[in-house]
Every structure is written in structure tokens, then in C-alpha cells.
Amino acid sequence: MTVRMTILAAALLAFGFGGKAAADSIASQFPVGATFEGAVQVSRTQVPLPPGKWTVTALDETRNNNNNVNATLTLTNIISSKFLGHLSISTNVDINRGGWVLNQFCGRRDVYFMQFDAMYQKEQACWGINHLIMDPTSTYKPAYGKNIRQVLADQSIDMPRVMITTLFRLANESSYLTYEIVLNTEYFGFSAAGESNWASSSWHKDLIAKDPKRQQFLEQIKAQHAAFYPILKAQFR
């Protein structure tokens, strides 16, 4: 084989014989057990982190129907055997030019807080705060590591019943980011007694005014996480 043919063959392999470069896995950047503080670079986005040390517990990489690689990184904060919360960061590893499926969270009007700026296939921007009623088990099996319930079980910690989530969604024609900060209300001293479903939860936006301490807590979360939104949004212009 001539040098020219060897170079051509290598180029065809690199581009999968279809003119599209194969994506690199980001798994080597996020080994299970690695710890991050302040911020973390996931694919093309610099993601600001809440205070504290956040430990990688899972990484999942999948291909969508356009053969683009997408990754979801999970990090957890457990302090002295007490579960503060976890982070979920989902983004694309491959660059796409056709836009992305819309995340329907941006269209919700039944959550505690929502800042909505755009909701188009090639431009999406919002962030909001909601409460979650958690199931005790999950069938989620990441490619690397364990799901959050398994991580907690390994340390004899029960999955909290109620969590507060701050979700950021940004997207342009080539990239997207879904970033979720999930905090354990029991860690902050709130009882989960009587929490049976989302609609009747004392954290529901229509009921929260009855409990000033809970409402104050949500306002503190809102103030703390508000600074993250412009940092993220600036990277998706």
C-alpha cells in the first residue's frame, strides 16, 4: 500500500466512512471517585458547582438517533455519612448542527420558580426550581459507576423522600446542556413526614406560603443559584 493510500485509509476510519468524525469518550476525564470543586468542564461547557466537594458516582454515554454521543455525569456530596445532594450534568459530546429535542421543563408553569427566555429547537434557555418526590428504587444503570440510590445504599443511607431541584437548560444549534442540582431537604432539617405525592406536598408552589421556613429556604436556593444562569447562558450564544 502506498503512503497516500495509507493516509486515505486512516482518514476514512477516523470519519467512520461517512464524513463524520467519531466522538471521543469523556470517561477518562471523570473516573468514579474523582472530586471537583468550584467548576467542572464537561465537553464544551464550563459548569459552576455549588459550594463543597462533589464526587463522581456515575457517567453514562449513549448515542441518539443521529448517532451523536451524549453524556450524563452524576456527582454526589456526602458529608459525615449525611447526604447533602447530587448533581446531574447532561450534554452532547459530538457537535450537531440540526438543533435538539426541546426539554419540556422550560414550558412548565406549575413549579416554584421559572425564568424562561427561549424555547426553540436551536435556542433554548431557562432555569427553574421545583420539588421532587423520590422513589426508593431506580432501574437506571449508567455505563460507569452506580445510580444514586445504589451509592447511598452502599453507605447505609436511605434515599430521601423529598428533594429540591434547580434545573438549567441551555441549547443552541450545536450544543445543549441540562444541569440539575438536587438537594436533600432532610439534610437541611426539614421533615419528610406526610409527603405522599407531588401535588399535595408542602413544598408545592400553591402550598408553600403556609410554611415561611420552607419558602425562605427556596428563596435562599434561588438567590444562590441565580448567578449560575448568566455564566451558562453566555456559553450558548
Side-chain angles (χ1 to χ4, degrees):
M1 181 180 289
T2 66
V3 172
R4 182 176 180 181
M5 290 178 66
T6 301
I7 293 174
L8 177 60
L12 289 172
L13 285 172
F15 281 83
F17 297 93
K20 183 174 182 177
D24 293 326
S25 169
I26 62 172
S28 62
Q29 301 170 38
F30 302 106
V32 173
T35 299
F36 295 87
E37 293 184 75
V40 61
Q41 181 79 28
V42 185
S43 191
R44 285 165 294 281
T45 306
Q46 184 83 356
V47 180
L49 304 178
K53 295 182 178 181
W54 296 90
T55 301
V56 175
T57 54
L59 177 71
D60 207 20
E61 291 182 313
T62 59
R63 290 185 179 272
N64 63 15
N65 56 359
N66 291 322
N67 207 32
N68 295 313
V69 174
N70 299 281
T72 297
L73 175 68
T74 305
L75 304 100
T76 306
N77 193 331
I78 299 174
I79 303 171
S80 301
S81 298
K82 294 183 178 180
F83 176 52
L84 185 152
H86 72 273
L87 313 176
S88 174
I89 305 171
S90 297
T91 190
N92 58 303
V93 179
D94 285 323
I95 292 178
N96 183 44
R97 296 299 181 189
W100 306 92
V101 174
L102 295 176
N103 187 309
Q104 297 304 313
F105 180 77
C106 291
R108 292 187 64 171
R109 297 296 178 263
D110 59 350
V111 299
Y112 177 74
F113 167 78
M114 174 63 69
Q115 180 176 340
F116 166 81
D117 291 323
M119 193 167 177
Y120 307 99
Q121 186 178 2
K122 296 184 180 182
E123 181 187 4
Q124 193 168 19
C126 78
W127 78 285
I129 298 172
N130 188 24
H131 65 285
L132 302 174
I133 304 298
M134 307 299 293
D135 293 326
T137 61
S138 172
T139 58
Y140 175 57
K141 295 181 179 180
Y144 307 96
K146 300 177 180 180
N147 71 46
I148 190 65
R149 291 160 179 81
Q150 292 174 313
V151 171
L152 295 180
D154 287 348
Q155 300 193 39
S156 300
I157 302 172
D158 293 332
M159 188 69 200
R161 180 62 175 160
V162 184
M163 307 280 277
I164 301 299
T165 173
T166 302
L167 190 144
F168 302 88
R169 170 67 177 193
L170 290 306
N172 55 29
E173 68 174 0
S174 59
S175 296
Y176 76 89
L177 176 79
T178 304
Y179 174 30
E180 191 171 18
I181 302 169
V182 188
L183 300 178
N184 174 15
T185 59
E186 294 178 60
Y187 179 90
F188 296 94
F190 295 97
S191 172
E195 296 284 358
S196 58
N197 61 71
W198 183 86
S200 66
S201 171
S202 55
W203 295 93
H204 193 284
K205 78 177 190 72
D206 294 340
L207 302 175
I208 193 72
K210 296 179 180 180
D211 192 325
K213 287 188 66 176
R214 281 179 166 81
Q215 188 165 29
Q216 182 182 31
F217 178 68
L218 293 183
E219 286 298 308
Q220 289 173 347
I221 290 176
K222 180 180 173 182
Q224 291 168 3
H225 295 166
F228 291 0
Y229 185 57
I231 294 172
L232 296 169
K233 191 177 180 183
Q235 299 178 69
F236 285 83
R237 291 175 178 170

